[in-house]
Amino acid sequence: MARWGITLPLIGVPVLEHRALVSELAGLGYTDVWSAETTGTDAFTPLALAAQWSSDLRFGPAIAPVYTRGPATLAMTAATMAEVTGGRFVLGIGSSSPVIVQRWNAIPFEEPFKRTRDTLRFLKAALAGEKVTAEYDTFSVSGFKLERPPAEKVPIMLAALRPNMLRLAGREADGAITNWLAASDVAQVRSELGDAELAARIFVCPTEDADAARALGRMLISTYLTVPAYAAFHDWLGRGEVLRPMHEAWAAGDRKAASKSIPDEVVDALVVHGSLDHCRARVAEYQTAGVDTPIIALLPTGGDQVEQVRALAPRA
């Protein structure tokens, strides 16, 4: 089936005020609700609530870091989410970033590829109801077994930006979750992933004020794409040279110059903006290019976000 996702909670909207919107989403043509976890809500609580407000949607975190919860806790959380969603849960995990893991959660950010791979392998065994005693490269587990394993398989998807993680996602997981890419980048990502599900968070700024949209886009791009993993991702995608002035200004501590140096064409490729009809069509381009599950992340414009979500639905 053609999937169409939305990121919830909406920015600035209290979690409990999403009930009416969530109950409408399936009728509008949305199939998925995905959360995020940075400095706002946690990844799971909003989904557990939303699952009680809709019996048709699929729910997933994009993503839960593999460092900030112990392996057993992550398995218990996933099993609980599978239960409260009636089996409509996908577990999205990934390494996250040094800022979130180390600076904010006081956990060493070491060997992210191996930690993600090891967590994936542990979770596959634990969520299948196995008793796990294993020595992994980055941690060990002795004698863990879920008291309430899921009745059905819980799909696991990996946050993946570059070939090694994309290949791991295609080989051992049920798919990959990516973001900060243009529709024209999808073929390159898909070539490494293979046929597994590809989900992409797409930042959407529904305004015809191009200057305002680009200003917000530049701020976000300079904040995200200077993170080493995203910098390497865009080097691999071929944007290394065009983003070099941004990286140099950022390294020199000049945040304004870093943001200002980002060309319009880069912003327009990575941030969807324009009229609601135009934005919906741009998101559909990602599907045409090979994304199975586009996940709209609505950026604030001062407009009514609930109405914007309705207008961005595939059946609008």
Side-chain angles (χ1 to χ4, degrees), residues 195-220:
D195 295 331
E197 181 177 355
L198 176 61
R201 175 163 279 131
I202 303 164
F203 294 93
V204 177
C205 187
T207 176
E208 295 184 65
D209 184 342
D211 289 341
R214 286 170 178 154
L216 178 57
R218 283 189 173 90
M219 184 273 290
L220 292 171

Side-chain angles (χ1 to χ4, degrees), residues 12 28 31 33 60-61 66 105 133 138 149 189 192 217 252 256 270 314 316:
L28 293 169
T31 60
V33 169
V66 295
N105 284 285
T133 296
T138 58
V189 170
E192 301 292 344
K256 288 184 180 179
L270 301 180

Side-chain angles (χ1 to χ4, degrees), residues 9-202:
L10 299 171
I11 295 172
V13 179
V15 174
L16 293 176
E17 293 183 14
H18 286 73
R19 181 170 189 160
L21 174 61
V22 170
S23 69
E24 293 180 46
L25 291 176
L28 293 169
Y30 287 95
T31 60
D32 290 55
V33 169
W34 293 78
S35 63
E37 187 171 272
T38 51
T39 59
T41 60
D42 73 280
F44 296 103
T45 305
L47 299 181
L49 286 166
Q52 310 316 301
W53 304 334
S54 171
S55 60
D56 301 303
L57 299 167
R58 185 175 71 159
F59 301 91
I63 49 81
V66 295
Y67 294 93
T68 54
R69 296 168 181 85
T73 300
L74 195 51
M76 288 186 287
T77 303
T80 304
M81 288 299 302
E83 181 177 328
V84 303
T85 62
R88 293 171 290 126
F89 179 69
V90 179
L91 177 59
I93 59 171
S95 63
S96 188
S97 71
V99 170
I100 291 173
V101 173
Q102 189 160 306
R103 193 181 304 172
W104 296 347
N105 284 285
I107 299 166
F109 187 79
E110 298 172 348
E111 299 189 282
F113 176 82
K114 288 184 178 180
R115 178 69 180 229
T116 303
R117 180 203 61 197
D118 293 348
T119 302
L120 168 65
R121 291 174 178 175
F122 164 78
L123 287 169
K124 288 172 68 176
L127 291 171
E130 298 176 17
K131 185 175 183 178
V132 182
T133 296
E135 292 283 342
Y136 302 96
D137 285 350
T138 58
F139 60 84
S140 61
V141 174
S142 179
F144 175 77
K145 188 176 191 301
L146 280 169
E147 179 183 326
R148 298 163 64 91
E152 299 177 0
K153 176 187 174 181
V154 175
I156 304 173
M157 296 176 67
L158 302 184
L161 297 176
R162 285 181 289 163
N164 282 347
M165 196 70 82
L166 286 164
R167 291 172 195 151
L168 176 66
R171 185 173 62 248
E172 298 191 32
D174 296 284
I177 303 165
T178 191
N179 66 355
W180 285 117
L181 79 167
S184 58
D185 298 325
V186 173
Q188 186 169 340
V189 170
R190 174 62 77 183
S191 69
E192 301 292 344
L193 175 65
D195 295 331
E197 181 177 355
L198 176 61
R201 175 163 279 131
I202 303 164

Side-chain angles (χ1 to χ4, degrees), residues 4-8 10 25 30 32-34 294-298 309:
W4 196 268
I6 186 71
T7 302
L8 296 181
L10 299 171
L25 291 176
Y30 287 95
D32 290 55
V33 169
W34 293 78
I295 305 168
I296 293 169
L298 195 61
V309 171

Side-chain angles (χ1 to χ4, degrees), residues 195 262 307:
D195 295 331
I262 303 166
E307 287 302 321

